[in-house]
Amino acid sequence: MKKNKVSAVLGPTNTGKTFLAIETMISFNSGMIGFPLRLLAREVYDKVIKKIDSSKVALITGEEKIIPLNAKYFLCTVESMPIDKDLEFVGIDEIQMCNDHERGHIFTDRLLNLRGEKITMLMGSNTIKSIIEKLDEDIEFINKERFSKLSFSGHKKISRIERKSAIIAFSTEEVYAIAELVRRQKGGAAIVMGSLSPKTRNAQVSLYQSGDVDYLVATDAIGMGINMDIDNVYFSNTKKFDGKKLRRLTLAEIGQISGRAGRYLNDGSFGITGDCGEINSEEVSFLENHK
């Protein structure tokens, strides 16, 4: 029996993994990519319909469904992927989410059971490599290096934070309180949270991307591959309630979020603000070197 061809594209943030998946998908006659976030599925859908006829492209998330009759390409949240379709290419983004205690079972199911007829591409961080190696399939590992440098900038007061910065908080209350503070001191901030409606969220993203405001206040949702023009990421907190308990973020989570700073060839920095707990020097070294 012929083994399935699986391509595992692994590496830190800002390495072009999603870009590679999009280009590979549209080189085939049909394909589908599953994303961890509705916002990301939408962002990629908007990119793909600029490249090919929109009547061939579907967007399927828990909130939005655009499914043309003759759709050949499907951009979905992982939960919304139609698993009964025979497609040449299948991609899963942020495959290390197999480890997530709430959604990991869905990602694990896709990792084990969902395949493209010609190729399956798994994109994510190196933390999942040892699991993928155990699959009894024809696996090719593609290791991606980050395009730009990421460095730690220490603690800064909100009033001193430079433009093109994102400030990360972990509750709706914190997000709104920080946004209000930024508006008073700096004149404007966009807000990005998973709980906003698609229309509001897309409008907030455009507000920041167009340069109408210089600051973004967001939850850790932006850690999941949303590509925005951010130079600096500041944590107002490194603790979050994960549905069961208040816990400190893992280094992988801190790395995933801080890696949103610096797009493509522009270097980025990450730091802390407000009453955020320290990130020690050993942790900083791990984060700067994407370990």
Side-chain angles (χ1 to χ4, degrees):
M1 194 174 126
K2 191 167 151 290
K3 290 190 176 183
N4 286 315
K5 187 164 171 47
V6 176
S7 181
V9 185
L10 305 179
T13 50
N14 188 21
T15 52
K17 299 187 291 287
T18 310
F19 177 79
L20 176 66
I22 296 166
E23 293 297 308
T24 308
M25 177 182 79
I26 61 182
S27 73
F28 287 102
N29 291 323
S30 61
M32 168 165 64
I33 307 178
F35 296 97
L37 283 185
R38 298 172 291 216
L39 195 55
L40 188 52
R42 176 82 218 194
E43 182 189 298
V44 173
Y45 170 80
D46 290 340
K47 279 185 185 153
V48 172
I49 59 173
K50 284 185 182 146
K51 295 172 184 268
I52 55 178
D53 183 348
S54 63
S55 70
K56 291 182 179 168
V57 189
L59 171 68
I60 311 175
T61 72
E63 295 173 327
E64 293 182 280
K65 287 185 176 45
I66 302 168
I67 311 172
L69 206 55
N70 299 317
K72 295 269 184 270
Y73 302 100
F74 298 81
L75 303 161
C76 321
T77 44
V78 167
E79 282 83 351
S80 303
M81 296 173 89
I83 54 176
D84 54 347
K85 293 198 175 299
D86 295 326
L87 302 165
E88 292 186 1
F89 173 91
V90 167
I92 312 285
D93 199 16
E94 306 291 0
I95 192 64
Q96 76 281 354
M97 290 273 293
C98 284
N99 189 33
D100 185 82
H101 81 88
E102 279 177 25
R103 301 172 67 202
H105 63 289
I106 302 281
F107 282 81
T108 304
D109 177 69
R110 305 294 183 255
L111 171 78
L112 297 174
N113 301 316
L114 196 58
R115 293 293 177 265
E117 288 173 356
K118 296 200 169 165
I119 188 168
T120 303
M121 190 177 277
L122 306 170
M123 300 85 78
S125 79
N126 282 305
T127 53
I128 189 83
K129 186 172 183 182
S130 60
I131 303 285
I132 296 174
E133 282 173 336
K134 293 185 169 71
L135 295 172
D136 182 26
E137 295 178 81
D138 175 12
I139 301 167
E140 174 196 23
F141 284 98
I142 299 172
N143 191 42
K144 300 288 270 183
E145 297 291 329
R146 190 177 156 98
F147 291 128
S148 62
K149 194 161 157 279
L150 183 68
S151 47
F152 183 60
S153 57
H155 184 281
K156 264 197 186 147
K157 287 181 173 171
I158 285 184
S159 58
R160 305 286 302 272
I161 288 178
E162 51 280 76
R163 57 185 293 276
K164 288 177 83 171
S165 292
I167 303 169
I168 309 300
F170 292 96
S171 71
T172 307
E173 293 78 13
E174 272 184 307
V175 168
Y176 283 117
I178 291 167
E180 188 48 43
L181 189 60
V182 172
R183 282 180 189 134
R184 284 206 306 269
Q185 295 182 347
K186 305 280 197 181
I191 287 176
V192 173
M193 297 188 290
S195 58
L196 298 174
S197 73
K199 196 175 171 188
T200 308
R201 214 167 40 212
N202 296 343
Q204 290 289 308
V205 168
S206 317
L207 188 67
Y208 177 81
Q209 288 292 75
S210 64
D212 287 348
V213 298
D214 290 330
Y215 298 89
L216 183 67
V217 185
T219 58
D220 53 339
I222 73 158
M224 286 299 161
I226 296 173
N227 298 311
M228 296 175 75
D229 192 11
I230 298 166
D231 289 345
N232 320 283
V233 168
Y234 287 93
F235 291 86
S236 70
N237 208 330
T238 49
K239 290 196 170 103
K240 71 179 265 187
F241 183 71
D242 65 6
K244 290 188 176 172
K245 61 181 190 297
L246 188 66
R247 64 167 177 85
R248 188 173 189 251
L249 298 175
T250 64
L251 270 190
E253 288 170 324
I254 294 174
Q256 190 78 26
I257 298 164
S258 44
R260 292 293 138 218
R263 288 308 307 144
Y264 193 46
L265 300 174
N266 296 333
D267 291 341
S269 79
F270 67 101
I272 54 178
T273 187
D275 302 323
C276 183
E278 287 297 321
I279 298 175
N280 69 43
S281 56
E282 188 188 4
E283 291 173 330
V284 166
S285 167
F286 279 133
L287 292 163
E288 289 182 336
N289 297 298
H290 314 294
K291 297 291 182 237

